[in-house]
Every structure is written in structure tokens, then in C-alpha cells.
Amino acid sequence: MTGAPAADAAVDDVDLAVRLLARTPTHEGRDPGLLRHWALAADAFGAALAARPCRARIVERDDGLDRLLLARYRSRPATVELYTDTIERAEALIDARGWRSWYPAGSVRAAALAHEAAHEALHDAPVRAAFKEALGHTVLRAGRFRVLGHVAGAEEIAAHAHARTVCGLGRSPLLLTAALAAAVTAPRREN
């Protein structure tokens, strides 16, 4: 949830993705048009990823709010950590914001698993290569040869788009993640 863009429901999913990239280290000062290109490419790639069950071992934990995490994928060994306290807080936030039409009951857990399944897919070499090709970030060119580079933050955008598509959500989980980050880190008011 860290580095999440501001949670403004009036901002569309692509603009939220552009804001995420703009706030990502290494992208300071990059051309907004390039950030938009990467956001659109990552969103389209994630939305087109074939749905697949998460093959990783699933572990439930209850310390996500302290860590500012909803879920996390670890590749060695392949494990998805689901943070039940954060999932519960997200479900309550959806109700409080009136976003239930975008995020049906129980969809936070399903979206978290789909999101992490996308990260798992992006660890496969052919999928990762196709993703880099879709982004088109050339870091080195020598004649007809080019080396495609990693775009920090793009995997998150792709994983959110995948979850939105697979779970049939009305909005990207990126909006929910941003709202959750703001709610969890907001100073509590004393009565």
C-alpha cells in the first residue's frame, strides 16, 4: 500500500496508475506522456492475462495493518500471504465509502488472490519478456539489437488490472488500495 496515489474516486483507473508511476522512485521528472503510455500498456497487459488459480501456498496473517499490506507474493518458496485484518478493514472501508457496487462483498480477498496470481505469472520468463515488450522501455540499443528494461511500478498496475478483470470489479483495486493506505496512515482524532 505504500507509495499509493491519492484515493480520489473521481480520478479514473489509468490516471491513478499514472500517479502511482509518478510517485515511484526512478520516475521523478519523467515525461507524463511516457508514464501514461506505460500505465496504459501495463493495464492492458494485466487485463489480458489469462485467469489462473494461484498455485502458491496461501498463508493467512493478521498483522497487515501494521505492515501496510493487504497481500504479498513471495517467490521462494511460492507463497501468498493474505493479511486478514487489512482485508476486513478494506471491506469496512468499501461500505463506508459507498463503493459496494464496484467491490462486491468478499471481492477483496478474491482480488488479492488474483493480484498475487498475476505477480506469480509475471515471474514466468516468457510472460515477463512479453510484459517488457508490451511496455517497450528500451534501456540499450546497438544497431538492430535492443535491451528492454524493467519499469518500476508497472507490475503493480498490471496485477491490479488483472484482479479487476478476473473478479469483474467496477474499479481497479488500486483505488481501494490508495483509500486504505490513506485511512490506515491518517492521524486519529481525539474526542
Side-chain angles (χ1 to χ4, degrees), residues 11-54:
V11 175
D12 73 17
D13 291 342
V14 172
D15 284 334
L16 284 173
V18 171
R19 289 178 183 185
L20 174 95
L21 290 176
R23 294 177 57 145
T24 301
T26 73
H27 298 319
E28 304 93 343
R30 288 212 196 250
D31 176 53
L34 178 59
L35 296 178
R36 178 165 291 282
H37 166 76
W38 286 339
L40 286 166
D43 187 85
F45 190 90
L49 266 177
R52 67 188 242 178
C54 186

Side-chain angles (χ1 to χ4, degrees), residues 78-134:
T79 305
V80 170
E81 296 172 338
L82 287 177
Y83 294 92
T84 56
D85 59 333
T86 313
I87 291 171
E88 289 173 16
R89 180 75 179 267
E91 290 284 356
L93 183 63
I94 289 167
D95 288 332
R97 296 268 177 118
W99 293 349
R100 196 48 77 186
S101 64
W102 293 334
Y103 307 104
S107 65
V108 175
R109 187 178 202 284
L113 287 173
H115 179 101
E116 300 310 327
H119 281 297
E120 185 178 36
L122 288 165
H123 272 88
D124 293 340
V127 176
R128 185 173 52 249
F131 185 48
K132 284 183 175 182
E133 187 67 39

Side-chain angles (χ1 to χ4, degrees), residues 161-186:
H162 179 72
R164 179 192 68 228
T165 302
V166 168
C167 296
L169 304 177
R171 290 292 305 266
S172 169
L174 183 56
L175 173 63
L176 179 58
T177 300
L180 194 54
V184 169
T185 59

